[in-house]
Amino acid sequence: MKVLVAGDRGYIGAVLAPFLRAAGHQVDGYDLGLYEGCDLGPELPPGGDRARMDMRDATAAELAGYDAVVCLAALSNDPLGDLNPDVTYSVNLDGTLRLARAAKAAGVPRFLFSSSCSLYGAAGSAAVAEDAELFPVTPYGESKVVAERELSMLASGNFSPVYLRNATAYGASTRLRLDIVVNNLTAVALTTGQVRLESDGTPWRPLVHIEDISRAFLAVLEADRALIHDQAFNVGRAEDNVQIRDVAEMVRDAVPGSALSFADGAGPDLRNYRVDFSKLNDTFPGLQLGWTVQAGVDELAGAYAEHGLTHDDFLSSRYVRLRRIKELLDDGVIDDTLRRKGAPVGGQ
């Protein structure tokens, strides 16, 4: 298949795009390029013109000839969404819909949307399935809820949107992020000797390795249309619904000499939910999501050590999306709408 991946130069995309290529698909990228140079280890190969493309300007002409579009592009976590909720909606909602409408107009039959289990938000300790009521507690989660609803309205006999609600991602990537829980705790432990929790450790969170996210996207990409048309799938493993304190203890055990500690005033996190993944398993019985959280912690610790991650790296903008965006704003590279200055707006 010929596949366009929007957000191919981000944290998940840097793993997912090569994964799809290794499975035999032709993959092109489409990315705004805000995180160039923010690499762990060898830099990503140059993306050319497609590393400066904003999906808010996507056109049908750009998407003609593709068999599927994978939409990973987004402002990708809750603190970043809180920076400017209007911009979060501009990118995560308006941008997603612009890309989807362009894909439909171009005759692209399949649109895989990277959604999130965060739209369950404050669902509590009972595992929730895809038909559960949604309780997003951040602009990021809210943007995913509305995007799914609007994408569903585009579904037709010739256009099949699919909503992959990923659990909280973790794992090593060239485009590393340290603003997500497993990656963060492991980096703090390795660079400071402390496994430091900002909450009291009691909230439940579903976790999934980015390679397993890639496996799920590949399964949906290759599935019969009848199985996936206008469907939502929670992506993760039942056994990886864990409390944050459990993750901290895994990290402590994996990093010799590290100790568990709590931030002053650490209390419960509003984001507290467990997720039921049985629909994914039932629909794709041959799909094997193989990563455990413990194996992911070990992988991360090894990657950090191999590439010499330091505490200065941890404190820098290199691996924390909010800091990187603020840096680009301060340097005048992007404007308040997170558009590149001097870039054309609107497309043709």
Side-chain angles (χ1 to χ4, degrees), residues 282-336:
D282 293 344
T283 306
F284 303 101
L287 177 62
Q288 298 294 322
L289 303 186
W291 280 88
T292 65
V293 178
Q294 185 65 68
V297 169
D298 293 340
E299 176 206 34
L300 286 162
Y304 296 164
E306 177 185 355
H307 298 297
L309 185 77
T310 67
H311 191 53
D312 286 343
D313 292 329
F314 179 80
L315 295 174
S316 75
S317 64
R318 191 177 185 91
Y319 305 122
V320 177
R321 297 298 187 246
L322 180 58
R323 294 177 195 156
R324 173 65 171 172
I325 293 296
K326 288 182 175 179
E327 180 180 66
L328 293 174
L329 286 166
D330 291 343
D331 291 347
V333 176
I334 56 176
D335 63 22
D336 289 342

Side-chain angles (χ1 to χ4, degrees), residues 139-151:
Y140 171 76
E142 291 168 358
S143 72
K144 294 293 187 180
V145 171
V146 181
E148 283 195 19
R149 184 171 66 235
E150 295 293 320
L151 287 170

Side-chain angles (χ1 to χ4, degrees), residues 103-332:
K104 184 175 181 178
V108 179
R110 193 166 297 202
F111 188 90
L112 278 60
F113 177 55
S114 186
S115 190
S116 171
C117 286
S118 69
L119 42 72
Y120 300 121
S125 60
V128 290
E130 289 81 356
D131 58 356
E133 190 172 354
L134 306 178
F135 293 97
V137 296
T138 63
Y140 171 76
E142 291 168 358
S143 72
K144 294 293 187 180
V145 171
V146 181
E148 283 195 19
R149 184 171 66 235
E150 295 293 320
L151 287 170
S152 182
M153 295 176 67
L154 296 176
S156 70
N158 298 315
F159 187 71
S160 297
V162 194
Y163 325 107
L164 290 97
R165 297 176 180 174
N166 303 319
T168 300
Y170 67 90
S173 168
T174 303
R175 283 285 158 86
L176 179 69
R177 285 177 56 190
L178 293 181
D179 48 16
I180 42 183
V181 62
V182 180
N183 298 8
N184 176 280
L185 290 176
T186 307
V188 174
L190 198 71
T191 59
T192 71
Q194 295 291 316
V195 186
R196 187 171 176 80
L197 288 181
E198 299 299 326
S199 75
D200 63 6
T202 60
W204 286 92
R205 199 69 54 79
L207 303 170
V208 64
H209 193 283
I210 49 177
E211 188 177 284
D212 281 343
I213 290 175
S214 301
R215 285 191 176 90
F217 271 80
L218 178 62
V220 171
L221 186 68
E222 295 179 342
D224 289 342
R225 177 182 179 276
L227 288 176
I228 54 87
H229 175 74
D230 197 24
Q231 293 293 309
F233 295 95
N234 294 332
V235 177
R237 306 187 325 146
E239 51 266 54
D240 293 330
N241 282 300
V242 298
Q243 289 179 289
I244 299 302
R245 185 184 183 101
D246 295 334
V247 178
E249 291 172 350
M250 292 181 202
V251 171
R252 180 194 61 199
D253 294 343
V255 180
S258 61
L260 182 58
S261 64
F262 294 86
D264 292 339
D269 190 325
L270 284 177
R271 295 167 299 171
N272 178 41
Y273 51 96
R274 298 175 66 195
V275 174
D276 183 338
F277 300 104
S278 56
K279 181 179 178 182
L280 183 73
N281 295 330
D282 293 344
T283 306
F284 303 101
L287 177 62
Q288 298 294 322
L289 303 186
W291 280 88
T292 65
V293 178
Q294 185 65 68
V297 169
D298 293 340
E299 176 206 34
L300 286 162
Y304 296 164
E306 177 185 355
H307 298 297
L309 185 77
T310 67
H311 191 53
D312 286 343
D313 292 329
F314 179 80
L315 295 174
S316 75
S317 64
R318 191 177 185 91
Y319 305 122
V320 177
R321 297 298 187 246
L322 180 58
R323 294 177 195 156
R324 173 65 171 172
I325 293 296
K326 288 182 175 179
E327 180 180 66
L328 293 174
L329 286 166
D330 291 343
D331 291 347

